[in-house]
Amino acid sequence: MELHRGELVPSFETPARVEHILAAFARAGWAVETPGEYDDAVLARVHDADYLAFLRGAYEAWQAEGRDGYMIPGAFPACGMRRDRVPDNLHARLGYYTFDAGSPIVAGTWRAARAAAHCALGAADVVAAGARSAYALCRPPGHHAGRAVFGGYCFLNNAALAAQRLRDAGLARVAVLDVDYHHGNGTQDIFWERDDVLVVSLHGDPNTEYPFYLGYADERGAGAGTGFNLNLPLPRGTDWAGYSHALEQAFARIAVFAPQALVVSLGVDTFQDDPISGFALSTSDFLRLGERIAAAGLPTLLVQEGGYAVAEIGDNVAGVLAAFVA
């Protein structure tokens, strides 16, 4: 369960999302590879060590207190409260390391998040080895996870880990293009003060859309990263005409940056029937999206993010990828 806009409801992020994507791949005749294992030290390239330690042991600590079920926080360090001290109390630490009550931790959360990160890292290695493109079927998603915070169903930032992996492989400049309906606040946080990774995000206007407190157009980065973060917030009801205009702005900035590889946070919750989003893209528009991304001519890694119209998610993802297969 998750707390969504004041109601406790079944989680929108479900295993069926992956099942529908895999079924679409099977219909298309596309093979799927299992990634290898990576040491947890790789995760510390973008996440704080104390945060990783919390995620790794949170549910066992919960069980040690005689609890079961799922972990949802009930308190957060809001404005005016201290963030320079990590509380000893488990429930307090749960609220300290998250920013919403919609991302429950359950028995398999750490194992699943770690496996999703391995998918992204494995795909990054494929691109670093010279492949034109690769796709990482990550679940849970990752772009809301910051250096030391989880939320929005995201615990480890798969796209950021992939971008860092490409940098560590010797690529001097990597761009991240986030096309999920919701702003990738975690990716922005991780690369906020860096000029070697450009972050560009198209998303719903944070005045009305989750995650609400980041994603505005005036957020451009800080320090060395000033000018290397571009947010393109769009109003509810945006269709392909409006979306494609913003997409051209995104690629114009990416072209100036001249990256050696592109990481795409591929959320398909921009679909017109998505239950927690508000854009109006059709299934055919995802073909156009894939064609535009492929037309950039960059080595490209696509990392799965959101998409909660479960019955249609497979066809929408396959539509984007078809341009690269072609």
Side-chain angles (χ1 to χ4, degrees), residues 64-314:
E65 293 187 354
R67 303 170 184 265
D68 57 12
Y70 49 90
M71 301 173 66
I72 291 183
F76 304 88
C79 295
M81 295 183 176
R82 294 184 65 171
R83 288 200 57 87
D84 62 324
R85 292 178 63 95
V86 182
D88 293 329
N89 178 272
L90 176 62
H91 195 80
R93 276 187 286 136
L94 179 61
Y96 180 87
Y97 285 118
T98 189
F99 60 88
D100 70 19
S103 307
I105 293 178
V106 297
T109 295
W110 170 250
R111 183 165 57 90
R114 188 170 175 269
H118 292 176
C119 286
L121 291 165
D125 285 346
V126 169
V127 172
R132 175 172 176 263
S133 62
Y135 165 75
L137 178 43
C138 297
R139 178 185 177 267
H143 72 149
H144 293 304
R147 287 170 295 176
V149 67
F150 69 90
Y153 316 136
C154 303
F155 300 90
L156 299 173
N157 195 309
N158 306 312
L161 284 164
Q164 184 61 52
R165 187 73 173 177
L166 292 170
R167 284 284 296 109
D168 291 342
L171 279 67
R173 296 178 308 283
V174 177
V176 178
L177 173 64
D178 193 323
V179 297
D180 190 278
Y181 179 76
H182 305 93
H183 175 246
N185 58 287
T187 311
Q188 175 172 299
D189 169 54
I190 289 167
F191 297 116
W192 183 247
E193 296 184 356
R194 290 175 52 173
D195 60 3
D196 57 333
V197 179
L198 172 71
V199 178
V200 181
S201 179
L202 289 72
H203 51 266
D205 188 340
N207 277 304
T208 59
E209 308 307 314
Y210 181 93
F212 303 115
Y213 310 111
L214 283 175
Y216 293 91
D218 63 352
E219 298 161 15
R220 301 184 60 250
T226 301
F228 292 88
N229 190 89
L230 174 63
N231 287 329
L232 298 166
L234 300 167
R236 289 183 75 87
T238 294
D239 58 11
W240 177 251
Y243 193 86
S244 61
H245 177 72
L247 192 62
E248 291 307 318
Q249 292 179 266
F251 275 110
R253 178 65 185 92
I254 291 169
V256 171
F257 182 65
Q260 294 170 298
L262 175 66
V263 176
V264 179
S265 274
L266 180 59
V268 294
D269 46 0
T270 49
F271 181 58
Q272 58 195 1
D273 293 328
D274 195 275
I276 57 173
S277 305
F279 286 171
L281 271 60
S282 67
T283 295
S284 62
D285 290 330
F286 290 104
L287 285 164
R288 301 179 188 181
L289 175 61
E291 288 169 354
R292 182 61 188 91
I293 297 171
L298 294 166
T300 301
L301 166 56
L302 302 106
V303 178
Q304 189 61 50
E305 301 286 1
Y308 307 100
V310 176
E312 296 87 359
I313 188 173

